[in-house]
Amino acid sequence: AEAAQGSEWLRAACFLRDEIVDHRAREAAAAAKAEAEAAAAAARGVAEAALCEAVEGCGRGDTDLEALRAVINACAEAAQGSEWLRAACFLRDEIVDHRAREAAAAAKAEAEAAAAAARGVAEAALCEAVEGCGRGDTDLEALRAVINACAEAAQGS
């Protein structure tokens, strides 16, 4: 009877030991989780502050597109879902779109200027050919050659 009772005490002691170990493990896991959540919250705060500064810096002209992109890339994970992250991404996209529109407008203006210059050269050549015909300096074949060479550039004049 005594041996069975000792065995019962042994089982109780082992059970208690296991409960204590499990309890300590749960406490350690809870503490680690709380610490990780606090670190994540701190990282989110730092990321949001950096994003806020980058957005406001763009407004002041202190931050350029490349710096804004760098801040977004550095803070995207920590600030996921943040209003500041959304604002920074929106601003980045607006800057990119604005630059694209400016580049397209500049290219269009450059093309129009080149076309106007070509038209001016063509008109001058046609004027000289017509006047040359009037003076007798330009024959019919030379006039045709000038017309053919200048026809496309001089359209609309």
Side-chain angles (χ1 to χ4, degrees), residues 123-152:
E123 288 175 3
L126 288 167
C127 178
E128 177 57 33
V130 168
E131 288 176 354
C133 283
R135 290 189 308 266
D137 301 347
T138 306
D139 64 8
L140 180 60
E141 291 308 312
L143 180 61
R144 282 184 181 151
V146 171
I147 290 170
N148 290 337
C150 298
E152 187 177 329

Side-chain angles (χ1 to χ4, degrees), residues 1 3 7 11 14 25 30 42 46 65 83 86 96 103 107 109 111 117 123 132 147 149-150 155:
S7 171
R11 279 194 297 275
C14 288
V46 169
L65 177 61
E83 288 296 319
R86 278 193 285 280
V96 168
E123 288 175 3
I147 290 170
C150 298
Q155 271 186 331

Side-chain angles (χ1 to χ4, degrees), residues 4-72:
Q5 195 173 14
S7 171
E8 199 173 295
W9 284 109
L10 181 59
R11 279 194 297 275
C14 288
F15 177 77
L16 183 57
R17 178 201 63 209
D18 293 345
E19 284 297 309
I20 291 170
V21 168
D22 288 347
H23 178 70
R24 286 182 181 165
R26 284 191 300 273
E27 283 182 338
K33 181 180 178 186
E35 190 175 311
E37 288 173 351
R44 182 177 179 88
V46 169
E48 286 183 343
L51 289 163
C52 173
E53 179 55 33
V55 169
E56 291 175 353
C58 282
R60 292 188 306 266
D62 302 350
T63 305
D64 65 3
L65 177 61
E66 295 312 311
L68 180 62
R69 283 180 174 155
V71 172
I72 289 170

